[in-house]
Amino acid sequence: MKTAICPGSFDPVTVGHVDIIHRAAKLFDKVIVVVMINYHKPNSYFTASERVELLKRSLGDIKNVEIDMYSGLLAEYADKKGACAVVKGLRAVSDFEYEFQQALTNKKLNPELETVFLTASAESMYLSSSVVKQVCEFGGDIREFVPAEVCDDIISRIKERNRFS
Ligand code: ADP
């Protein structure tokens, strides 16, 4: 059985993330979407548990997709889960340098682990979690950016955060 990992911050989930996860689920027997808890990025808007919850509601019941969170090395996590690949979305040349570095590092740490890049879809290649947060903070409409199932909760959470910061 071929297992792949889709890692990310997902702070919060966007339609771009969902697109990559659906496509990965067609290519692999099992996909584990993992919210990476990164202490170098302490300013996340959503807690790791909230991010997992938003992903669960956005993805619904895809039989071969699991959602998890992890704080540590991705290469180690993949080894523990018996995964053969990491699937990442590539939006533009600007993503490439960082992703290439990550892929080579993971390969060094876990030589069995391949990184598979899927090109972002034309509709969401401009989209990132940061864009969602910025647009929402200034009162813009983010309905096309995030999954419908979680849109209202994302909006109210970002507004609530702004009130207290
Ligand atoms: P971001 O904060 O930039 O959205 P994440 O760390 O949450 O990034 O992203 C997790 C994974 O999803 C990465 O592989 C990233 O390249 C991919 N990804 C993020 N946004 C998109 C998008 N709009 N289209 C395709 N892939 C994406």
Side-chain angles (χ1 to χ4, degrees):
M1 187 165 91
K2 302 267 185 214
T3 299
I5 312 277
C6 284
S9 311
F10 305 106
D11 185 43
V13 60
T14 70
V15 293
H17 294 133
V18 170
D19 174 55
I20 294 294
I21 295 163
H22 277 136
R23 286 158 62 196
K26 287 188 197 152
L27 295 174
F28 291 89
D29 300 308
K30 179 172 159 186
V31 168
I32 307 175
V33 180
V34 60
V35 172
M36 298 302 289
I37 305 167
N38 185 346
Y39 294 106
H40 298 293
K41 280 195 199 169
N43 296 325
S44 60
Y45 276 39
F46 296 82
T47 67
S49 310
E50 283 172 333
R51 287 180 263 157
V52 166
E53 198 51 40
L54 292 172
L55 277 162
K56 279 190 180 153
R57 287 167 49 205
S58 304
L59 294 168
D61 255 347
I62 314 178
K63 280 198 176 48
N64 61 338
V65 175
E66 266 176 39
I67 299 155
D68 195 6
M69 62 171 102
Y70 190 67
S71 146
L73 287 174
L74 180 62
E76 256 171 40
Y77 179 81
D79 187 40
K80 265 205 281 207
K81 295 289 174 178
C84 63
V86 173
V87 176
K88 304 293 303 272
L90 269 191
R91 281 163 290 198
V93 183
S94 52
D95 275 347
F96 181 77
E97 195 171 340
Y98 173 78
E99 293 295 353
F100 194 65
Q101 187 184 37
Q102 293 287 309
L104 290 180
T105 307
N106 285 331
K107 188 89 181 145
K108 195 85 190 161
L109 296 171
N110 178 350
E112 296 303 311
L113 188 62
E114 297 295 344
T115 298
V116 174
F117 293 113
L118 298 180
T119 50
S121 65
E123 298 77 39
S124 65
M125 65 174 292
Y126 62 93
L127 193 54
S128 68
S129 298
S130 310
V131 163
V132 168
K133 288 179 281 200
Q134 276 166 18
V135 171
C136 188
E137 275 175 346
F138 289 108
D141 185 357
I142 59 162
R143 268 173 302 181
E144 278 187 41
F145 302 165
V146 298
E149 298 83 354
V150 293
C151 186
D152 289 344
D153 285 350
I154 290 176
I155 294 170
S156 49
R157 187 70 174 71
I158 292 175
K159 286 190 174 153
E160 179 193 348
R161 187 182 192 273
N162 279 353
R163 263 207 307 279
F164 294 107
S165 61

